[in-house]
Structures are given as C-alpha cells and as structure tokens.
Amino acid sequence: MGCSFDCVYCYINGSKYAKKTNSYYVKSNACDLVYNKLKKLARNHERVFLNFGSASDPYMEIEKELELTREILKIFLRFKYPVHIITKSDLILRDTDILKKINDAAILPDDLKGLKSKVCVTFSFSTVDDDLASLVEPNAPLPSQRLKAMNTLAKKGFHVGVALMPILPYINDDLESLENFVKVFRKSNAAYLIPGALSLFGSSEISSRIKYYNFVKSNFPEILDDVKSLFYNREYPSNKYQNNLYRKVVRICKKQGIKTAMI
Ligand code: SF4
C-alpha cells in the first residue's frame, strides 16, 4: 500500500489507500493470499484476467530487495492465470523469464480468447520529457527508461501499451504535445494508448489537489489560475474539457494507427 514514486498528482495522496504516496506498507502475507485465491479460482475452473498496480506500483525500488511481485507472478504461473501489469518502472524487465512462461502456459477466459498475448503490460506516463518527469514523478524511473522497456517487451511478443494519464492541463494537453506523445509511443511499439485527464482530490496539505497546486505554483506559476479554475469546486475538469481532450487523442491515434483500448 502506498507508493514510493511520489507523483505530485497521485490520487492516493490523502485517500483511503494510503496517507501519502511517499510512505508505504508491505503486505507481507500477499503471496499466501494470492496463492489461496488463485487455488480456489482454479479449482472452480474460473478463468479471469487479473490486474497488478492501481493504487500502487508493483515495481517500486523496494521490489528489488523483496521480490514480492516476482513471487506473486510465480503463483500466477503455477495456476496458469494471465496477467495485466500497470507500472512506471523498467524493473519489470527483471521478470521477463516468468512473464514468458506465463505467456506460454496461461489459460485465457473465454471472452478474451482472441487476445494475442496472455501477458499485457501498460506503462504509465504523464510526460515523455525526462526533465519534467523528474519534477512530477520525482522517484519514478525516467520516461526514457520506460520507453526502452516497452520496446523490449513488445519485441518479445507481449501485448504492451500506454496509460497516458494524467495528461497535464495547460502543460501538455495541446495538440502539438498530444501528437508528439502518440508519435513517441508508436516508435516504442505501443499497441494501444488509454488517455486520461487529471483528477485532484482532497484539501489537506498532503492531498493531491494541494500537492499539485504547489507544484504548478513553483514551476508553472503563469498557469496556476487556469488550473485552479479548471478544478474549481470539483475533482475532475468539466465534461467539456474532458470530451474535447479525449476527442483530440482519439483522432490523433486513429490517424497514426494506434488503438485507444487494450483490446
Ligand atoms: S506511480 Fe502511480 S501509485 Fe505510484 S505515486 Fe505515481 S501515480 Fe501514485
């Protein structure tokens, strides 16, 4: 629980998932829980596609030492379950050996039989600029490292793509930046791109709202008022802003031949 990458926009800041991103807890019995769950599912012939990484990252620095994600993947392999991993880290490359075995052995649920790979990896980005990333995602591996990892996994035959979320309002939500995103991701062999707008929660000092406003104030003071009015009294930008953003991304993706859904 929690995440050491400490992204300034992280929605878990102040949420029920953790008090703040830069403090985290290890679920030391995670392997036992996963083992029992998958054993039961397999015994009942229930085939599902499980997801790693939502309110945390499965490849934080501490994973190098703990190898908890690696051990859980071995359990997936043992019971032949496919897996979808969302990460910001190239540490995933360490587990290519197990992912390859899962890809060979896993059994897909009936409604996903058409999927070309039983291992899907979604790399998460809010920018492809290493300098900007070191400000917004201070402890995460750089986008350039993620792009290389994505390319490597794609070339090994895994189904890989991008969660472009959050797109940063007034920083990289303009047409030129969006076109550049798609171009860069395509070049690194992303099969799909799922876009998402920024959301800001809470009002305490450790909330994503205040952390993000402080980041903008220090680095892009000229857009602070615009950002604040976009989120005035709400957690998401207006529907008009979001629809416009998604429409633009979908149009660019279509033009450049990249899907906007995993499947
Ligand atoms: S990698 Fe994801 S979970 Fe971790 S701090 Fe960043 S946004 Fe939050």
Side-chain angles (χ1 to χ4, degrees):
M1 285 182 83
C3 182
S4 62
F5 290 164
D6 203 21
C7 307
V8 292
Y9 49 75
C10 181
Y11 77 97
I12 69 174
N13 274 319
S15 77
K16 65 177 179 177
Y17 297 107
K19 284 208 162 42
K20 42 187 177 169
T21 37
N22 60 7
S23 67
Y24 51 91
Y25 308 90
V26 175
K27 291 183 181 173
S28 54
N29 64 342
C31 289
D32 292 341
L33 295 174
V34 173
Y35 182 91
N36 292 336
K37 183 73 186 171
L38 292 192
K39 189 176 171 191
K40 196 170 162 204
L41 286 173
R43 202 172 44 219
N44 294 333
H45 304 288
E46 282 184 67
R47 288 287 142 192
V48 291
F49 214 130
L50 294 160
N51 186 55
F52 262 77
S54 157
S56 186
D57 195 296
Y59 287 103
M60 286 186 252
E61 276 298 295
I62 198 165
E63 169 60 17
K64 283 186 186 162
E65 186 190 309
L66 293 179
E67 300 199 358
L68 200 54
T69 296
R70 187 170 170 82
E71 287 309 308
I72 293 173
L73 285 174
K74 286 182 189 166
I75 301 169
F76 273 63
L77 173 61
R78 175 172 178 159
F79 292 107
K80 300 187 176 174
Y81 276 92
V83 66
H84 173 216
I85 300 173
I86 306 173
T87 185
K88 274 192 170 82
S89 177
D90 57 344
L91 180 57
I92 189 172
L93 294 177
R94 179 200 65 187
D95 293 339
T96 310
D97 56 338
I98 301 173
L99 296 176
K100 173 92 185 52
K101 288 180 187 165
I102 294 176
N103 209 15
D104 291 340
I107 303 165
L108 287 167
D110 285 345
D111 56 343
L112 292 175
K113 288 274 190 231
L115 208 57
K116 81 166 197 175
S117 166
K118 294 152 190 169
V119 173
C120 299
V121 182
T122 300
F123 286 92
S124 162
F125 291 85
S126 65
T127 173
V128 286
D129 178 328
D130 283 354
D131 292 334
L132 177 58
S134 57
L135 297 173
V136 275
E137 304 159 350
N139 302 327
L142 292 170
S144 53
Q145 294 169 278
R146 277 172 245 166
L147 290 167
K148 265 192 212 151
M150 181 158 70
N151 205 8
T152 303
L153 291 178
K155 286 186 173 158
K156 288 186 185 298
F158 300 112
H159 190 48
V160 296
V162 164
L164 178 56
M165 36 178 105
I167 298 168
L168 307 173
Y170 310 114
I171 296 177
N172 58 23
D173 63 347
D174 58 289
L175 197 60
E176 197 185 333
S177 304
L178 297 174
E179 282 178 340
N180 185 51
F181 273 131
V182 180
K183 202 166 107 195
V184 169
F185 296 143
R186 271 210 68 203
K187 210 170 147 200
S188 298
N189 278 313
Y192 56 89
L193 183 163
I194 305 164
L198 179 70
S199 53
L200 295 176
F201 299 98
S203 55
S204 70
E205 275 310 302
I206 57 159
S207 66
S208 58
R209 180 183 301 271
I210 300 305
K211 272 191 86 169
Y212 193 76
Y213 286 170
N214 287 341
F215 152 75
V216 173
K217 194 173 165 188
S218 307
N219 298 285
F220 299 91
E222 67 285 2
I223 61 164
L224 182 61
D225 288 345
D226 289 333
V227 173
K228 281 188 171 173
S229 61
L230 193 62
F231 287 91
Y232 180 71
N233 251 346
R234 56 183 172 227
E235 291 160 345
Y236 299 91
S238 65
N239 285 342
K240 189 176 165 203
Y241 172 90
Q242 293 191 56
N243 290 339
N244 189 23
L245 183 65
Y246 295 142
R247 259 201 303 270
K248 274 194 284 187
V249 177
V250 169
R251 207 179 319 126
I252 299 167
C253 285
K254 213 168 164 185
K255 210 163 107 192
Q256 296 203 32
I258 185 167
K259 290 197 293 186
T260 44
M262 261 180 72
I263 299 168

